[in-house]
């Protein structure tokens, strides 16, 4: 869905992006992480065809951000870290203006507005002026504006910055719902805890260079089905344990290393009950049964440390 | 409202933002109260007092306040980070230009329209009703021009900014006041009345007021065209500078129209005079554009890369207008002098040049070379400053340099009785060699310094 090759972006006083190349698959949620000033916003603006790079190529859904920026704008929703809202308009007026300025003349504007209102959960305050909204509400309006034209790609720059825990949780769910509806999402942040709940991929950027891009050992499947990474420790190795557990619905990606078994487990009570019942029935010598959370922070620190060692 | 949104979303949004119920009531109430006060307190001259008041209303609401509002139209969006939405919208540049031009100033137009109605009504009873109304129409055209100019300048400012710092509209406001002074003077019938000319533009348009009207319309149309082109650039459409060249070409034709019917100067004299006026016009614009357009290292590198790759089309789409204007200004200057030298002897044009000590083939070309030399020197200094590590203040430093070079040093030289004026400005009274030597050497030195700095620069 997103293809970036040898992207370079320069400001008069520094190079903001240097030979950045990556490919992002459709339907993923990529955490764009890096310290302040690493080049995250510059990269997102280049992907949105808002800023022209010095060299390199950016393709969004097959359209070049450099040669066909207007085509890319049709395919991308972009929310800056300031949200960019007109304080004196009501939520509904904001969305009406955005709908009429982002959809072509034949579109069903009213339907688009209602859809955006419903998906972003702004219905309860649709008549309020933007200036009267909390930061969490403003962020939802911002997202509603960004998705009003049903873009294939949604780019969010520090969306959760300054939000309270409840608003962050609700943002996580919203992003997963949008992902489920087919959007490919990139979310930038320098606060990794924000991204952990919903990211499927991680793209690390430091000093304008991309130093890591990979799929996370993730527990995110969709808003409806969450998978947990589980660890099962045994008193001694058991032969064929993988084969014996493979048939259970909701258990996947089984991997045995001596007396440790890792797998993914659907987060519902019935599946867990079935698994425990099978383990007891098979008389498996279990010494530990625990959840192992994918820790974005750990992954990031590892990557950055390796990069810094390389630099030395 | 949906129809308005569909017609022009930007205009509709501005109507929402500007027209609250309270504001809709306040404006006519205030104007009405002042009108009532004038009518009640003036014994016999209420009509003329109201006439003057309404004119003042147009100037204050339409011009002064309108300059501020139009200057803020883009800058507020930029500062509040809403401009990105606009740039990604499907609104075309033509709609967006008009939506901004008329929409952002809709409240000013509301107040101005009320004053305009009072002005027209109170014109009846004046000595020359037609002239009074024409003056008001000229002011309205001037309003559109100044508002358009403000939006254009603010678009230039955001193009030059780093995207991180907020831009204040104060500086634009000042340039708007200057532009307003210029436009209202030019368009004012009273100003034109001080000249007793018998000019007919291309033999068609006669009379000072009509000539003022056609000038106002000419520049207003080009300001709107420039606004459209600037919006295109903001919305990421890339264009070669064809419209700018067309503006330069039509400016010459427009100016030539004033000389067509003046038989005493002949065709060559007319062309020379029109070329000279166009030269001066774009000479000023060249310096203003050089000051207002981005000149950072990244742009220059991109241009170098495109030029070396032989991609002339993309090069022309990215080349700043001051670089396009420079050679064309030289061409206008050259042909102004060329046609002067073949113009009818004793013509008005030649007399004008004689007063400048520039008559005859032998002095006009050296004078032209001197002007070109100083232009290259000045622009060279500007580029040299912008290529430095402290390029943020380069443009303001350039203005200081120019003040020192054109004002302070010549005054010092004069105070010291040193005959070296030609070292600082085109000195048409110096000998031909001295007139040419100083600017050419200075330009060569500055251009060498630019080349040296360019080759030394490395991106961090």
């Amino acid at each position: 869905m997103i293809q970036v090759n040898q992207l370079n972006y320069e400001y008069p006083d520094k190079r903001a992006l240097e030979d950045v190349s990556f490919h992002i698959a459709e339907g993923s949620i990529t955490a764009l992480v890096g310290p302040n000033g690493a080049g995250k916003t510059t990269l997102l603006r280049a992907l949105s065809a808002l800023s022209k790079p010095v060299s390199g190529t950016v393709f969004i859904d097959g359209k070049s951000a450099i040669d066909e920026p207007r085509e890319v704008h049709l395919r991308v929703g972009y929310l800056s870290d300031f949200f960019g809202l007109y304080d004196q308009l009501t939520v509904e007026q904001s969305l009406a203006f955005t709908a009429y300025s982002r959809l072509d003349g034949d579109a069903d504007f009213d339907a688009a507005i209602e859809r955006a209102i419903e998906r972003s959960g702004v219905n309860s305050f649709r008549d309020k002026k933007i200036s009267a909204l909390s930061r969490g509400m403003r962020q939802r309006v911002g997202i509603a504006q960004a998705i009003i034209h049903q873009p294939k790609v949604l780019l969010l720059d520090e969306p959760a910055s300054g939000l309270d825990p409840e608003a962050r949780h609700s943002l996580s769910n919203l992003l997963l719902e949008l992902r489920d509806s087919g959007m490919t999402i990139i979310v930038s942040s320098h606060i990794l805890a924000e991204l952990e709940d919903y990211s499927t991929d991680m793209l690390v950027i430091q000093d304008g260079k991309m130093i890591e891009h990979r799929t996370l050992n993730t527990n995110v499947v969709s808003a409806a089905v969450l998978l947990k990474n589980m660890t099962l420790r045994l008193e001694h190795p058991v032969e064929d344990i993988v084969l014996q557990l493979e048939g259970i619905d909701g258990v996947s990606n089984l991997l045995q290393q001596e007396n440790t078994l890792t797998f993914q487990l659907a987060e519902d009570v019935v599946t867990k009950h079935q698994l425990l019942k099978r383990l007891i029935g098979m008389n498996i010598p279990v010494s530990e049964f625990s959840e192992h959370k994918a820790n974005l922070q750990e992954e990031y620190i590892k990557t950055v440390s390796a990069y810094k060692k390389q630099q030395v | 409202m949906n129809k308005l949104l569909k017609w022009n979303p930007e205009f509709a949004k501005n109507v929402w933002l500007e027209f609250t119920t309270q504001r809709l009531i306040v404006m006519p109430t205030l104007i009405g109260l002042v009108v009532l006060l004038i009518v009640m307190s003036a014994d016999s001259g209420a009509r003329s007092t109201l006439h003057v008041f309404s004119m003042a209303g147009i100037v204050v609401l339409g011009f002064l306040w309108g300059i501020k509002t139009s200057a803020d139209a883009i800058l507020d969006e930029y500062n509040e980070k809403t401009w990105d939405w606009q740039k990604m919208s499907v609104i075309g540049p033509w709609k967006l230009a008009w939506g901004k031009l008329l929409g952002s100033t809709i409240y000013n137009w509301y107040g101005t329209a009320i004053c305009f109605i009072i002005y027209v009504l109170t014109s009846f009873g004046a000595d020359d009703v037609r002239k009074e109304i024409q003056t008001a129409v000229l002011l309205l055209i001037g309003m559109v021009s100044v508002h358009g100019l403000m939006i254009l300048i603010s678009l230039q400012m955001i193009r030059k900014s780093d995207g991180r710092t907020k831009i204040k509209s104060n500086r634009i406001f000042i340039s708007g006041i200057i532009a307003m002074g210029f436009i209202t003077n030019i368009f004012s019938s009273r100003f034109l009345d001080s000249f007793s000319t018998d000019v007919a533009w291309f033999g068609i348009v006669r009379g000072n007021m009509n000539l003022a009207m056609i000038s106002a319309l000419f520049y207003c149309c080009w300001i709107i065209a420039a606004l459209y082109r600037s919006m295109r650039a903001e919305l990421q459409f890339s264009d070669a500078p064809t419209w700018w060249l067309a503006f330069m070409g039509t400016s010459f034709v427009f100016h030539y129209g004033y000389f067509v019917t003046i038989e005493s100067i002949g065709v060559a004299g007319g062309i020379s005079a029109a070329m000279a006026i166009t030269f001066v016009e774009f000479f000023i614009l060249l310096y203003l554009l050089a000051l207002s357009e981005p000149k950072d290292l990244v742009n220059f590198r991109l241009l170098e890369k495109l030029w070396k790759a032989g991609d002339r089309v993309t090069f022309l789409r990215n080349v700043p207008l001051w670089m396009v204007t420079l050679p064309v200004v030289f061409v206008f200057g050259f042909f102004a002098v060329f046609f002067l030298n073949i113009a009818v002897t004793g013509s008005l044009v030649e007399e004008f040049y004689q007063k400048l000590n520039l008559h005859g083939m032998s002095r006009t070309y050296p004078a032209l070379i001197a002007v070109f030399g100083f232009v290259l020197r000045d622009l060279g200094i500007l580029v040299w400053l912008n290529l430095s590590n402290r390029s943020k203040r380069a443009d303001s430093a350039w203005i200081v340099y120019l003040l020192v070079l054109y004002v302070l040093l010549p005054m010092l030289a004069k105070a010291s009785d040193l005959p070296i004026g030609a070292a600082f400005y085109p000195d048409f009274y110096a000998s031909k060699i001295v007139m040419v030597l100083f600017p050419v050497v200075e330009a060569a030195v500055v251009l060498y310094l630019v080349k040296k700095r360019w080759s030394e620069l490395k991106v961090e």
Side-chain angles (χ1 to χ4, degrees), chain A residues 10-15 45 48-52 54-55 69-70 73-74 76 78-80 82-86 88-89 93 96-98 100-105 109-110 142 145-146, chain B residues 2-3 5-6 9-10 13 16-17 20 77 80-93 100 162 164 235-238 296-298 301-302 305 318 389 391-392 459-460:
Chain A
E10 286 178 8
Y11 289 112
D13 53 348
K14 73 173 212 177
R15 180 167 282 188
R45 292 182 66 82
S48 316
L50 281 169
S51 302
K52 250 184 193 170
V54 173
S55 61
R70 303 283 283 175
H73 293 161
L74 293 174
V76 170
Y78 171 67
L79 182 65
S80 81
F82 293 92
F83 305 152
L85 304 170
Y86 297 98
Q88 294 311 308
L89 297 184
Q93 284 174 334
F97 166 64
T98 314
Y100 281 87
S101 59
R102 297 226 60 180
L103 294 161
D104 63 41
F109 298 103
D110 292 338
Q145 287 192 172
Chain B
N2 283 3
K3 277 186 182 170
L5 272 165
K6 201 164 186 178
E10 175 60 26
K13 180 202 77 189
W16 269 329
L17 288 172
T20 59
E77 298 244 24
E80 298 305 317
K81 312 283 179 191
T82 50
W83 190 234
D84 284 342
W85 292 115
Q86 303 274 46
K87 285 172 76 173
M88 293 182 81
S89 75
V90 294
I91 308 175
K100 277 268 166 262
D162 58 7
R164 288 166 280 193
L235 297 181
Q236 313 247 8
F237 291 98
S238 52
D296 55 69
L297 179 66
V298 181
R301 286 205 162 173
L302 178 68
K305 196 179 111 186
N318 286 280
N389 292 328
S391 60
K392 277 184 181 171
V459 175
E460 286 172 17

